[in-house]
């Protein structure tokens, strides 16, 4: 009489665990681990390397152009997204406006003109992405391009110190995503309830919105060792609400790294037929002027334009 086969409990447990592990692996795989439907449509049977391009410098309240290359005689819906950025890394997207249809010609080229909305007075600048309207955030699967989105309220990167700052010493405040030609000053709220300028040097205008602009200022001597409110004042257009931060004057203070600028993510690396976008996908521009000459009139979405105003105060003629 043969003995019944004895099964080891451990082996049973290991075997039983396999289906669960497989399910976990499937669940952990992102649902967007493939190009979106519109991306695949644009890049399949394409007459030119598929891409969605715009210039690397855009700004609130102004017009911009988006160019599409890829499949001939097709339509792709493009959305402008605001990038969520943490410590210099893009972490997600939020639609900034409504989708825009772009039609390609017989050579696979198309373009559309966009009027960007003016930000509200409390809204900071940042970075934007032009891409198909049905994407999720997975840079390798996205055909698109990233640009600086300049605003009256730029992106403040810091001055190399934390809340405690040394008195009487020039501090180099770094900002980016500021509108070209704009001038800024730093002020502090004194005990008399008035804002006083503490900038040093000249009020140099912003030269490149996607670069670093330096604003020099000092923490005045003779202040108490307590928090004071400082602000970055837009002297070209004070319609924006000034960005504020707390400063505690100190004889000496520990340094602190500035917030890094956005590292432009590499886009489209996993999309077949795509023009892989590196630092700024608007360079080089694939389509020539001749290729775009036959395009029909581009569609336009209109938002209110940003009107700059001028006024005078302690900064003289450079004050808006």
């Amino acid at each position: 009489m043969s003995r019944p086969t004895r099964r080891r409990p451990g082996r049973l447990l290991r075997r039983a665990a396999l289906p669960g592990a497989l399910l976990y692996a499937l669940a952990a795989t992102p649902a967007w681990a493939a190009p979106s439907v519109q991306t695949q449509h644009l890049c399949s049977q394409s007459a030119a390397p598929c891409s969605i391009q715009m210039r690397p410098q855009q700004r609130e309240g102004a017009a911009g152009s988006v160019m599409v290359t890829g499949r001939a005689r097709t339509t792709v819906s493009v959305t402008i997204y605001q990038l969520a950025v943490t410590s210099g890394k893009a972490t997600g997207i939020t639609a900034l406006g409504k989708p825009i249809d772009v039609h390609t010609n017989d050579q696979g080229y198309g373009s559309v003109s966009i009027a960007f909305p003016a930000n509200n007075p409390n809204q900071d600048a940042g970075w934007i992405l032009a891409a198909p309207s049905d994407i999720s955030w997975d840079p390798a699967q996205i055909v698109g391009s990233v640009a600086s989105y300049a605003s009256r309220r730029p992106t403040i990167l810091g001055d190399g110190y934390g809340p405690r700052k040394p008195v009487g010493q020039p501090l180099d405040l770094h900002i980016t995503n500021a509108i070209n030609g704009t001038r800024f000053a730093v002020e502090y709220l004194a005990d008399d309830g008035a804002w006083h300028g503490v900038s040093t040097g000249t009020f140099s205008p912003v030269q490149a919105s996607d670069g670093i602009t330096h604003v020099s200022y000092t923490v005045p001597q003779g202040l108490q060792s307590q928090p004071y409110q400082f602000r970055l004042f837009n002297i070209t257009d004070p319609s924006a609400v000034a960005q504020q931060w707390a400063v505690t004057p100190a004889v000496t203070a520990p340094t602190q790294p500035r917030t890094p600028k956005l590292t432009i993510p590499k886009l489209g690396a996993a999309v077949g037929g795509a023009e892989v976008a590196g630092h700024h996908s608007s360079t080089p521009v694939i389509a020539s002027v001749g290729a775009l000459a036959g395009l029909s009139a581009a569609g336009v979405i209109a938002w209110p334009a940003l009107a700059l105003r001028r006024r005078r105060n302690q900064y003289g003629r450079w004050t808006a």
Side-chain angles (χ1 to χ4, degrees):
M1 182 175 178
S2 61
R3 296 182 179 177
T5 303
R6 296 180 61 186
R7 299 182 183 273
R8 296 180 182 176
R11 182 176 297 177
L12 285 175
L13 289 174
R14 286 195 297 272
R15 288 179 178 175
L18 287 176
L22 180 59
L23 288 174
Y24 176 80
L26 292 174
T29 302
W32 55 85
S36 71
V37 173
Q38 291 205 57
T39 301
Q40 294 181 56
H41 182 73
L42 178 65
C43 296
S44 64
Q45 304 175 12
S46 56
C50 59
S51 69
I52 297 176
Q53 305 178 23
M54 62 181 168
R55 293 186 181 278
Q57 297 181 19
Q58 304 292 341
R59 54 158 288 185
E60 60 159 329
S65 295
V66 174
M67 186 177 70
V68 173
T69 67
R71 190 171 186 167
R73 300 179 301 281
T74 194
T75 299
V76 61
S77 179
V78 175
T79 293
I80 303 298
Y81 301 91
Q82 185 95 35
L83 285 176
V85 179
T86 303
S87 300
K89 304 292 184 182
T91 57
I93 53 176
T94 302
L96 186 62
K98 295 181 179 180
I100 310 158
D101 286 341
V102 185
H103 310 283
T104 61
N105 62 11
D106 291 345
Q107 289 75 45
Y109 300 105
S111 70
V112 67
S113 178
I114 301 173
F116 292 107
N119 291 348
N120 70 60
N122 292 287
Q123 186 175 348
D124 292 347
W127 291 267
I128 56 175
L129 165 72
S133 299
D134 61 344
I135 65 166
S136 296
W137 181 242
D138 184 356
Q141 305 290 352
I142 294 175
V143 170
S145 60
V146 174
S148 163
Y149 191 52
S151 166
R152 291 161 290 169
R153 285 170 54 101
T155 303
I156 295 179
L157 303 176
D159 56 20
Y161 291 90
R164 291 175 58 85
K165 303 183 191 296
V167 299
Q169 175 179 322
L171 303 178
D172 182 17
L173 181 68
H174 289 193
I175 63 174
T176 190
N177 298 327
I179 295 173
N180 287 347
T182 306
R183 300 169 189 263
F184 292 90
V186 175
E187 302 175 331
Y188 88 102
L189 185 61
D191 293 335
D192 62 5
W195 290 96
H196 295 266
V198 290
S199 293
T200 59
T202 60
F203 304 111
S204 300
V206 174
Q207 299 295 324
S209 62
D210 58 349
I212 298 292
T213 295
H214 302 264
V215 182
S216 180
Y217 76 101
T218 59
V219 178
Q221 297 185 9
L223 299 180
Q224 300 295 318
S225 182
Q226 64 186 32
Y228 289 83
Q229 286 300 306
F230 280 61
R231 70 178 185 179
L232 181 68
F233 181 69
N234 186 329
I235 62 179
T236 305
D237 182 8
S239 64
V241 176
Q243 294 139 294
Q244 298 186 24
W245 61 95
V247 172
T248 299
V251 176
T252 59
T255 58
Q256 178 176 296
R258 295 177 178 87
T259 301
K261 278 180 57 182
L262 171 69
T263 299
I264 304 296
K266 187 176 182 180
L267 301 177
V271 180
E275 179 75 11
V276 177
H279 175 62
H280 281 305
S281 61
S282 57
T283 305
V285 175
I286 299 172
S288 65
V289 174
L292 291 174
L295 290 176
S296 59
V300 178
I301 290 183
W303 281 287
L306 177 65
L308 296 181
R309 300 175 300 174
R310 292 278 174 183
R311 70 170 173 83
R312 292 182 178 275
N313 67 3
Q314 60 181 309
Y315 302 108
R317 68 190 186 92
W318 298 121
T319 302

